[in-house]
Amino acid sequence: MELKLYNTMTQKKEVFRPINPGKVGLYVCGITAYDISHIGHGRPGVIFDVLYRLLKYLGYEVTYVRNFTDVDDKIIKRANLNKENPIELSNRFVDEYLIDMGALQCLLPTHQPRVSNHMDHIIKMIEKIIENGCGYAVEGGDVFFSVDKSPNYGMLSGQRLEHTRAGERELASDRDDVNSRKRNPADFALWKPAKPDEPSWESPWGRGRPGWHIECSAMSAHYLSPRFDIHGGGADLIFPHHENEIAQTCAACGEHAGVNYWLHNGHLTIKNEKMAKSKGNFKPIREITERYHPLALRHFLLSAHYRSPLSYSPSKLESSSELLYYVYQTLQDLEDALLPYREAMSEDGGKAGPTSEAKDIITNLKSEFDAKMSDDLNTANILEGDYDRALKFINSSIGKLEKMQTKQRMSLLVSLAAIEREARNVLEVLGLLTTLSYAEILKEMKQKTLARAGLSEEDVSQIIQERMMARKNKEFEKSDQIRAELAVKGIALMDIGGKETAWRPCTPSQEAYSSDV
């Protein structure tokens, strides 16, 4: 399997070749921890978790670093409003973020550094930048990076130096006279002088704290090296953050610095606008996972190619939920069907082999999955095509088991078990499994459906009894109305053998939302 990744630097797909054979260094910019995380934060969390899983699936030893910004103007502002210590506030929201990422089945990175724990590394890198003539200190304790000394500045973003406003974030948040002391308005802060009631650290330029961009340069160099394989983050970070990272690391480490592949995910949008706290249009992750299973949210976040914008809507979450329910129900039905034959399969000792049809299904399932994932992590429609055909084969085969001769049945049993393993491998790489059984996940998904419908299991049972009575009395119009009313609420009724009725979650038959929640 030859993995190709779209490199923002070259603006084309490139075959992935690690610096050190068999090993990968991956750095992803994490959150600025000052509030509960929204599903826009969830998208890069999930996307780069899938990349991490895929690289391990391909046999690489991966060092995955994702930082937390816990020293920042936004954190300080929120802490002052709350009358809270900024670092303690940030620690609290880091913990909340990790809870959310755990719910979304994101594996823990190898390292999760925080800015406040790496001041020595940051200060040493700033000193090196100044020593190499690419940074300068001014009266008052500010230290700036001189973009004029970076000959390739703008090569990632395509921004021309005369048009850049890399220092705008500092101008907006610091003293009005800072700009007048810069050599170039585009120069950006490496170090800021201390202000009253703000966290600060000793440095050669007086007490203060780092600028925004230097943290990732210092921490990626420390945990990986000045040159490493993959750097990821949201598309909004291309400029100025990642552009400035390149300039800083190259200025400090020279020809030994660089990133081989830059990966950037598209924005999550709501009503055609980027989801952002500053716009007040965000949906907290846990607000969504109160209503939908976290795995449904994860699938939704993977439902478009990672570089494309992804538009949020409840109907898309419903579709993800229904699709996953079908997947897990099929695999649970298979598990139930195989259970009576497990002992016989063990005694067979591998003598029986899968059918030629099953072999084709397994080969096609794996080939299609590998082809999609190796094509720049193309997770869109990943559970359709040959994956869906594998599920249909399972469903059509289960009912045949009891009617088959022993030898034929054993071959089909072996076939079904092999298909289940391959289907499960796909779910593992996508992070669409938990430590729970299929049955337990299905139960959780049904509970979420009931919560959205505003009903209990007892309520649904009672409604089913009312419908059965209506059918018994030949009140078919009433029976159809009951079914339709439940379908609007995302509950589909299934009549089994004409004697009993079960229910499963489904996409509501019409939009039943008064808002975009």
Side-chain angles (χ1 to χ4, degrees):
M1 177 176 169
E2 187 177 72
L3 176 61
K4 292 184 178 179
L5 299 173
Y6 184 88
N7 190 346
T8 307
M9 180 67 77
T10 60
Q11 297 189 18
K12 64 181 181 182
K13 292 179 187 177
E14 298 177 359
V15 175
F16 176 68
R17 293 188 174 89
I19 296 167
N20 298 307
K23 297 184 178 181
V24 178
L26 168 64
Y27 186 95
V28 175
C29 289
I31 61 164
T32 299
Y34 71 98
D35 203 346
I36 293 292
S37 294
H38 58 71
I39 58 175
H41 297 130
R43 193 179 191 201
V46 168
I47 286 166
F48 291 107
D49 178 69
V50 169
L51 175 60
Y52 182 32
R53 289 170 179 267
L54 178 63
L55 291 167
K56 297 207 297 183
Y57 167 76
L58 295 176
Y60 290 108
E61 179 185 334
V62 186
T63 302
Y64 176 19
V65 184
R66 183 184 63 205
N67 77 298
F68 289 110
T69 298
D70 63 349
V71 180
D72 184 83
D73 292 338
K74 294 176 183 177
I75 297 169
I76 294 167
K77 182 178 179 181
R78 178 63 59 87
N80 288 341
L81 286 173
N82 292 359
K83 295 181 169 46
E84 190 174 355
N85 178 280
I87 300 297
E88 291 177 0
L89 177 139
S90 188
N91 286 342
R92 180 159 55 85
F93 286 118
V94 165
D95 292 342
E96 297 292 347
Y97 172 83
L98 292 174
I99 291 171
D100 289 335
M101 291 301 102
L104 291 175
Q105 298 305 306
C106 292
L107 301 173
L108 286 174
T110 316
H111 304 287
Q112 298 188 88
R114 307 185 191 197
V115 177
S116 61
N117 295 331
H118 291 80
M119 287 301 162
D120 286 347
H121 301 111
I122 290 170
I123 290 169
K124 285 177 183 176
M125 180 167 273
I126 295 173
E127 287 179 314
K128 195 67 178 175
I129 290 171
I130 294 173
E131 180 185 323
N132 291 341
C134 297
Y136 59 96
V138 298
E139 185 180 351
D142 288 286
V143 182
F144 296 105
F145 184 90
S146 179
V147 295
D148 291 323
K149 298 298 178 69
S150 181
N152 295 318
Y153 194 81
M155 62 181 176
L156 178 68
S157 62
Q159 294 266 9
R160 295 176 62 183
L161 183 56
E162 59 267 29
H163 296 156
T164 63
R165 301 178 69 184
E168 189 173 64
R169 178 163 171 154
E170 287 79 44
L171 297 182
S173 60
D174 280 317
R175 302 177 308 283
D176 292 337
D177 65 337
V178 168
N179 192 38
S180 64
R181 292 183 289 127
K182 289 183 177 183
R183 296 175 183 173
N184 183 322
D187 292 350
F188 55 89
L190 296 172
W191 190 262
K192 302 179 181 183
K195 293 181 181 179
D197 302 320
E198 287 189 359
S200 61
W201 290 261
E202 288 293 346
S203 80
W205 317 284
R207 289 194 68 83
R209 58 187 174 90
W212 175 34
H213 313 294
I214 191 66
E215 61 186 67
C216 288
S217 289
M219 290 189 287
S220 62
H222 174 67
Y223 285 97
L224 299 172
S225 74
R227 175 170 290 279
F228 57 94
D229 297 295
I230 303 171
H231 196 317
D236 55 323
L237 297 179
I238 295 173
F239 186 86
H241 186 52
H242 288 164
E243 195 72 73
N244 291 353
E245 271 192 64
I246 295 170
Q248 291 166 155
T249 309
C250 289
C253 305
E255 61 183 18
H256 302 293
V259 172
N260 283 4
Y261 303 86
W262 287 90
L263 273 61
H264 294 95
N265 65 274
H267 297 141
L268 190 66
T269 63
I270 183 167
K271 295 181 178 178
N272 298 317
E273 282 193 327
K274 178 193 170 187
M275 187 175 289
K277 289 177 182 173
S278 59
K279 296 182 178 181
N281 64 350
F282 63 94
K283 298 292 179 186
I285 291 171
R286 57 194 56 184
E287 178 182 312
I288 301 301
T289 55
E290 283 176 3
R291 294 172 55 81
Y292 296 91
H293 198 283
L295 291 174
L297 175 55
R298 183 179 175 101
H299 179 270
F300 161 70
L301 293 171
L302 295 172
S303 62
H305 190 279
Y306 77 90
R307 285 188 285 115
S308 301
L310 176 61
S311 177
Y312 166 80
S313 72
S315 63
K316 291 180 179 179
L317 279 167
E318 292 284 0
S319 296
S320 287
S321 186
E322 182 175 28
L323 173 60
L324 287 185
Y325 191 89
Y326 168 66
V327 171
Y328 301 137
Q329 185 65 68
T330 299
L331 297 177
Q332 178 59 46
D333 290 344
L334 175 57
E335 197 171 273
D336 293 340
L338 293 181
L339 186 60
Y341 305 103
R342 288 292 185 189
E343 186 176 344
M345 292 171 69
S346 177
E347 291 174 355
D348 181 71
K351 295 175 186 175
T355 65
S356 58
E357 184 180 6
K359 288 178 180 177
D360 288 343
I361 288 171
I362 293 167
T363 298
N364 293 339
L365 173 57
K366 179 172 173 41
S367 296
E368 185 180 69
F369 177 70
D370 286 354
K372 287 182 176 180
M373 295 301 286
S374 65
D375 184 19
D376 194 34
L377 303 184
N378 187 9
T379 59
N381 306 315
I382 196 75
L383 297 181
E384 299 178 14
D386 284 306
Y387 196 94
D388 184 56
R389 281 186 278 277
L391 297 180
K392 287 178 178 176
F393 178 82
I394 291 171
N395 284 321
S396 66
S397 299
I398 287 174
K400 300 175 182 178
L401 288 171
E402 290 186 2
K403 304 171 186 176
M404 300 179 78
Q405 297 289 332
T406 302
K407 188 174 181 180
Q408 281 184 309
R409 182 166 57 221
M410 186 56 65
S411 185
L412 182 57
L413 289 168
V414 170
S415 299
L416 291 171
I419 291 171
E420 190 275 340
R421 285 194 296 272
E422 198 59 50
R424 188 176 182 89
N425 284 341
V426 169
L427 297 178
E428 288 279 10
V429 177
L430 296 174
L432 292 174
L433 288 175
T434 73
T435 56
L436 301 179
S437 66
Y438 298 132
E440 290 168 323
I441 296 173
L442 289 166
K443 183 178 179 180
E444 288 182 342
M445 295 187 84
K446 291 186 83 170
Q447 289 171 342
K448 296 291 185 182
T449 299
L450 290 171
R452 294 196 299 277
L455 298 170
S456 66
E457 189 75 59
E458 291 74 21
D459 293 333
V460 175
S461 296
Q462 183 176 341
I463 293 169
I464 287 174
Q465 289 300 316
E466 290 175 10
R467 179 173 172 273
M468 292 178 69
M469 185 60 67
R471 295 181 72 193
K472 183 177 181 180
N473 295 333
K474 298 186 178 181
E475 298 175 279
F476 299 117
E477 187 175 336
K478 180 178 179 181
S479 170
D480 291 343
Q481 182 181 353
I482 291 172
R483 180 195 287 271
E485 287 174 353
L486 285 177
V488 168
K489 294 183 177 183
I491 295 173
L493 298 183
M494 301 172 293
D495 296 318
I496 303 170
K499 294 184 178 180
E500 63 177 294
T501 300
W503 74 272
R504 63 171 176 81
C506 68
T507 300
S509 58
Q510 66 185 50
E511 288 293 344
Y513 306 98
S514 58
S515 70
D516 63 352
V517 175

